[in-house]
């Protein structure tokens, strides 16, 4: 059974903690701020008030017994870097760290962070995508050229079937699933009518998906 | 041509600003902190130092001419709420706001925010998923039961073809694309060999995808 430790219980760290707990995993939640630690006492297996820049404190915690440690310290970049350094010195196999900016990211890479995250930056990026492609409800980039998108079916394609729309021939992209109000259909029937408000899950070249969005919806 | 205004140039707001600019859109970047504003002067069409809790200042900016305004104010929840209130009073059609916590979210909903985001919370949630499904590199939830995942092909399926693996019959999920080192194949050849290190893009019921991950990879 995997053991996880979360250091830094801001919005990010506490969210990891809650979700791991919800999935039934054991979590040690650590923060130098007692209030933050107490706020999570019902969703952490163990909690600890500690300043993780203190190597001795980390040693006493027995942090080397953990396979995965998440560092969610935000503003104090030096503390985040120092904690990561200690953790890798203690041979913690997987140290995942939230980075504040590019400088922080570069240093973390050099000192061996196994995975680095930029939650605010990444979502800012995604929002720019949503702002400029209003019919796209969600997406995943497969590469710089290909993506999978969820698009809302509009009036324009109401009551038309996939066969009638002939999407692959006209636009080069493919509908892989259709989300109806109460179910997800992963083998969409080509002759079944699409209703306004359905969500089309499509895969293809980004240019083709945009052409489809502008031309068909 | 759409006009965007970004209020609050933290990591989130500045990231929206940079990406919109990168896409060729006009952006007005606003913050009460002059340093933050100056840092973005090369990626914003216009910049402005202003305290957005001041309704007169917003009016003077002509904020009602903007179709989309993003509010990226973080710590000061009251400022974020007040700014959102003013923007909706000015009939700004789309006001998208970053929320700090559930209370903040509820208030924003009530005062008419058109879309609300929780970047740190959402990524914390995703990271818990990645921590517990180590072969999943990325995913998109289609519903509570279905998702699309990107999984790393391991030694175990090296040199096997889709036909040989017979995934749909054994696990009930479908491979919709294969990412090889330099290309994305959205019409994967059922007889072509999969190489360790390829990424399988699969759709299916979450339980089936987990069974596949545990059983086949
Ligand atoms: N040396 C340290 N030891 C332990 N905890 C620390 C240390 N330094 C900072 N923290 C804790 O890390 C947590 C997150 O840091 P902070 O609030 O600065 O980041 P943030 O980027 O705003 O977080 P988030 O975006 O996740 O809300 C805080 O609760 C803080 O008490
Ligand atoms: N009343 C206001 N008017 C204009 N800008 C404001 C106001 N209040 C706060 N801001 C700005 O909002 C920006 C983001 O706020 P803050 O840094 O508290 O949030 P954050 O959640 O840490 O941001 P992020 O997570 O995006 O980095 C700051 O640059 C701050 O100067």
């Amino acid at each position: 059974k995997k053991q996880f430790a979360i250091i830094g219980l801001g919005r990010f760290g506490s969210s990891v903690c809650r979700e791991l707990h919800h999935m039934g995993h054991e979590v040690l939640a650590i923060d130098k701020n007692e209030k933050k630690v107490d706020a999570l006492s019902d969703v952490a297996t163990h909690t600890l008030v500690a300043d993780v820049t203190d190597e001795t404190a980390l040693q006493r915690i027995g942090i080397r017994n953990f396979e995965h440690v998440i560092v969610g310290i935000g503003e104090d970049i030096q503390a985040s870097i120092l904690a990561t350094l200690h953790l890798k010195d203690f041979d913690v196999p997987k140290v995942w760290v939230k980075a504040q900016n590019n400088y922080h990211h570069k240093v973390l890479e050099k000192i061996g962070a196994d995975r680095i995250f930029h939650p605010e930056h990444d979502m800012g990026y995604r929002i720019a995508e949503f702002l400029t492609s209003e019919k796209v409800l969600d997406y995943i980039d497969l590469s710089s050229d290909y993506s999978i998108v969820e698009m809302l079916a509009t009036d324009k394609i109401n009551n038309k079937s996939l066969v009638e729309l002939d999407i692959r021939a006209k636009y080069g992209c493919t509908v892989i699933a259709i989300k109806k109000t109460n179910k997800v259909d992963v083998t969409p029937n080509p002759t079944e009518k699409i209703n306004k408000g359905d969500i089309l899950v499509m895969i293809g070249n980004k240019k083709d998906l945009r052409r489809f969005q502008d031309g068909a919806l």
Side-chain angles (χ1 to χ4, degrees), chain A:
Chain A
K1 183 157 58 170
K2 293 186 191 167
Q3 280 197 316
F4 301 98
I6 320 283
I7 296 174
L9 308 175
R11 291 158 294 190
F12 171 79
S14 59
S15 168
V16 182
C17 187
R18 287 179 194 287
E19 185 56 20
L20 285 173
H21 180 262
H22 176 75
M23 294 167 153
H25 294 286
E26 293 201 356
V27 189
L28 167 64
I30 304 167
D31 199 293
K32 66 179 183 180
N33 178 330
E34 192 169 351
K35 282 214 223 120
K36 298 266 174 101
V37 172
D38 289 344
L40 288 174
S41 54
D42 57 333
V43 290
T45 322
H46 304 286
T47 58
L48 209 55
V49 182
D51 182 331
V52 296
T53 54
D54 176 358
E55 202 169 357
T56 320
L58 279 181
Q59 204 149 22
R60 227 182 293 127
I61 293 173
I63 205 78
R64 55 173 79 239
N65 299 324
F66 287 83
E67 190 179 330
H68 280 93
V69 180
I70 313 299
V71 181
I73 295 171
E75 289 228 20
D76 192 342
I77 292 178
Q78 297 317 320
S80 162
I81 289 170
L82 198 49
T84 303
L85 202 67
H86 293 330
L87 293 168
K88 292 315 285 179
D89 281 346
F90 286 141
D91 297 320
V92 171
K94 306 265 169 54
V95 181
W96 292 9
V97 192
K98 170 165 114 83
Q100 199 78 342
N101 54 40
N102 282 333
Y103 150 78
H104 190 183
H105 182 115
K106 289 201 176 90
V107 176
L108 291 172
E109 257 181 339
K110 295 231 184 285
I111 65 179
D114 300 285
R115 211 162 157 175
I116 303 170
F117 303 99
H118 297 261
E120 305 85 352
H121 169 272
D122 290 0
M123 187 165 287
Y125 180 95
R126 289 182 76 78
I127 277 159
E129 291 286 324
F130 293 138
L131 283 168
T132 51
S133 314
E134 290 214 46
K135 293 158 197 154
V136 171
L137 301 174
D138 207 356
Y139 71 94
I140 185 174
D141 274 340
L142 297 178
S143 71
S144 49
D145 300 320
Y146 283 90
S147 64
I148 290 172
V149 292
E150 288 190 13
M151 295 209 219
L152 198 60
T154 58
D155 267 324
K156 210 165 166 187
I157 63 170
N158 188 37
N159 227 17
K160 295 200 162 55
S161 71
L162 288 175
V163 166
E164 287 172 85
L165 290 170
D166 209 15
I167 298 172
R168 203 178 310 193
K170 292 197 176 134
Y171 299 98
C173 32
T174 308
V175 176
I176 46 184
I178 299 181
K179 294 213 271 186
K180 303 225 164 239
T181 343
N182 275 327
K183 62 182 181 78
V184 176
D185 193 345
V186 298
T187 46
N189 182 339
T191 56
E192 185 177 341
K193 299 294 184 192
I194 293 170
N195 297 317
K196 176 181 176 187
D198 285 347
I199 296 171
L200 305 178
V201 184
M202 304 179 58
I203 189 170
N205 185 296
K206 290 183 192 182
K207 291 202 183 77
D208 292 340
L209 289 167
R210 273 197 188 264
R211 279 197 306 119
F212 172 77
Q213 186 185 173
D214 300 335
L217 293 180

